[in-house]
Amino acid sequence: MLVGSAVRRVAILGGIRIPFARANGAYARFGNQDLLTATFRGLIDRFGLAGQRLGDVIAGAVIKHSKDYNLVRECVLGSGLDPHTPGLDVQRACGTSAEAAILVGNKIALGQIEAGIAGGVDSISDPPIVYPHAYQQLLLSSYSGRSFWQRMKPWLSLRPRHLKPILPGVIEPRSCLSMGQSCELMVKSWKISREDQDELAFQSHRHAAEAWTEGFFDDLVIEYRGLKSDNNIRSDTSREKLSKLRPTFDLSGSGTLTAGNSTPLTDGAAAVLLASEEWAAAHKLPVLAYLRYGKQWAVDFVGAKEGLLMAPTYAVAAMLREAGLGLQDFDYYEIHEAFAGQVLCTLAAWESAEYCRDVLGEKKALGSIDRAKLNVKGGSVAIGHPFAATGARIVATLAKLLSNDANAKRGLISVCTAGGMGVAAILER
């Protein structure tokens, strides 16, 4: 319900994240609660929020233990905020923290809250490992027994197969394909070359390495567990090195997705602070940018056989119509690099008059973008991709880019997700 007489502007005041680390490395012994709590503490320290109550904190994780059913609230309680601050867990796969920012923004815009935090975390190094359903039933049967014999009898049927663990998978249950396998189908359909994918990956590493060297991330990233910077970035990579890597998902001889042009499995967490303009002024915090539009979409990747990661093409097109903008009306483009090939498929779709007309319902192609404005501080291929944390990383990065550029007006965010979904947003200076 709207509280007040008008919809308010949503200010982005800044963000904090811990360095993104390759899985089973620097953060191997730490879980989601450790990573997200440290990130919240860093944000609260940065903006002097210790002991204060915020309207809401919305965040989430994609890979989560059952014990973490109230993950965000637990992290809030360990963050230094007033314990009267609520916490909400959400999950939209790789778009989780981008979605969280939109949800917090909606509450601010409607006057329900004055300020809130959006974030996300994922620890691939601390996966929930479960056992087969038959073993679960055996345990429950034993637990519900009323006599000693009733409790012991189920164990007579215990077999080695019951103890075979089930690890979290990245397979789509509807298609039985991994995200990488699905993207291989997309790049074949759109005729995206291996060379173009490697070039985008090379630029991702180059931009990220330059951003760290110039100090761009110094106030966006805090040290954690001895790690001071993202450890997947390869400042010494080259087009030649990338070209020598073997395909990872399609071993038939026609595969083009490799470990070099795909995101690595990553641990990390990120958070952003959003508020009303009045709250920001009262706390003497400068506004970096405004969250102006957000949009979600999904594709029928099972029935209609659309590309699993093509939903952002719809989301962005619909959002541009609502905003009255063209695809070229942006100073920066932050497109999540799940795979270099996914980004290139998305760009090719927007450039296709046929796709834009027949699929998106546009009168003409959305057109091409200036590649010099794309992921100018590096993307997920280089920086890494802790699933639920990437959206908040992107929002914080883009807000700072807009704040630092007096000539900039707006930036576009596009994030593809598992399940054939996408999240898009527009930030304005």
Side-chain angles (χ1 to χ4, degrees), residues 34-47:
D34 300 309
L35 275 55
L36 188 58
T37 300
T39 301
F40 284 171
R41 285 175 181 166
L43 189 76
I44 282 127
D45 289 345
R46 167 76 185 281
F47 292 99

Side-chain angles (χ1 to χ4, degrees), residues 4 45 54 74 76 80 85-86 121 136 142 186 189 199 202 296 302 323 327 333 387 429:
D45 289 345
L54 298 184
E74 290 298 325
V76 167
T85 302
V121 60
Q136 177 212 50
S142 175
M186 288 166 48
S189 175
E199 177 63 25
F202 171 72
Q296 306 78 18
V302 180
L327 186 59
Y333 300 85
F387 305 129
R429 190 172 189 276

Side-chain angles (χ1 to χ4, degrees), residues 387-399:
F387 305 129
T390 288
R393 171 189 69 80
I394 288 174
V395 170
T397 297
L398 181 55

Side-chain angles (χ1 to χ4, degrees), residues 1-248:
M1 179 181 293
L2 179 66
V3 179
S5 59
V7 174
R8 304 184 299 179
R9 291 207 294 181
V10 178
I12 301 170
L13 307 185
I16 286 291
R17 64 181 177 90
I18 59 174
F20 287 0
R22 291 181 72 93
N24 302 308
Y27 306 152
R29 292 182 292 174
F30 306 99
N32 286 334
Q33 187 172 334
D34 300 309
L35 275 55
L36 188 58
T37 300
T39 301
F40 284 171
R41 285 175 181 166
L43 189 76
I44 282 127
D45 289 345
R46 167 76 185 281
F47 292 99
L49 302 177
Q52 295 193 37
R53 181 191 181 278
L54 298 184
D56 211 348
V57 178
I58 303 179
V62 175
I63 299 177
K64 189 164 71 170
H65 289 266
S66 58
K67 66 180 176 62
D68 289 331
Y69 69 94
N70 218 0
L71 173 66
V72 178
R73 171 61 175 159
E74 290 298 325
C75 294
V76 167
L77 290 172
S79 69
L81 285 171
D82 184 319
H84 293 92
T85 302
L88 172 64
D89 282 55
V90 298
Q91 197 263 80
R92 198 189 290 277
C94 308
T96 294
S97 52
E99 182 69 26
I102 293 170
L103 292 173
V104 172
N106 285 340
K107 291 191 172 196
I108 293 168
L110 294 176
Q112 295 173 351
I113 65 174
E114 292 298 322
I117 293 172
V121 60
D122 261 299
S123 172
I124 310 302
S125 302
D126 183 32
I129 298 174
V130 299
Y131 290 88
H133 180 71
Y135 186 52
Q136 177 212 50
Q137 293 300 302
L138 186 155
L139 290 171
L140 291 174
S141 179
S142 175
Y143 177 77
S144 62
R146 295 191 175 186
S147 67
F148 176 79
W149 171 244
Q150 288 175 335
R151 290 192 293 271
M152 291 302 299
K153 184 179 179 180
W155 292 98
L156 297 177
S157 62
L158 180 66
R159 298 293 182 270
R161 67 177 183 275
H162 290 138
L163 303 179
K164 183 180 180 180
I166 301 173
L167 297 172
V170 291
I171 305 298
E172 288 289 337
R174 298 282 178 170
S175 67
C176 297
L177 297 176
S178 70
M179 192 174 286
Q181 291 170 323
S182 298
C183 194
E184 279 281 12
L185 298 177
M186 288 166 48
V187 299
K188 288 179 173 64
S189 175
W190 285 98
K191 298 180 172 56
I192 305 297
S193 71
R194 165 72 183 270
E195 291 73 22
D196 286 346
Q197 294 176 64
D198 286 346
E199 177 63 25
L200 191 146
F202 171 72
Q203 296 298 339
S204 184
H205 281 282
R206 182 175 70 86
H207 289 317
E210 290 176 351
W212 272 106
T213 299
E214 70 186 18
F216 179 83
F217 291 119
D218 287 354
D219 60 350
L220 294 176
V221 181
I222 57 171
E223 180 179 349
Y224 183 64
R225 302 295 177 179
L227 192 61
K228 297 181 179 180
S229 61
D230 308 310
N231 69 4
N232 183 68
I233 299 169
R234 299 291 180 263
S235 59
D236 61 345
T237 196
S238 65
R239 297 175 179 88
E240 182 182 12
K241 289 180 179 179
L242 289 168
S243 70
K244 292 180 179 179
L245 298 175
R246 296 179 179 179
T248 303

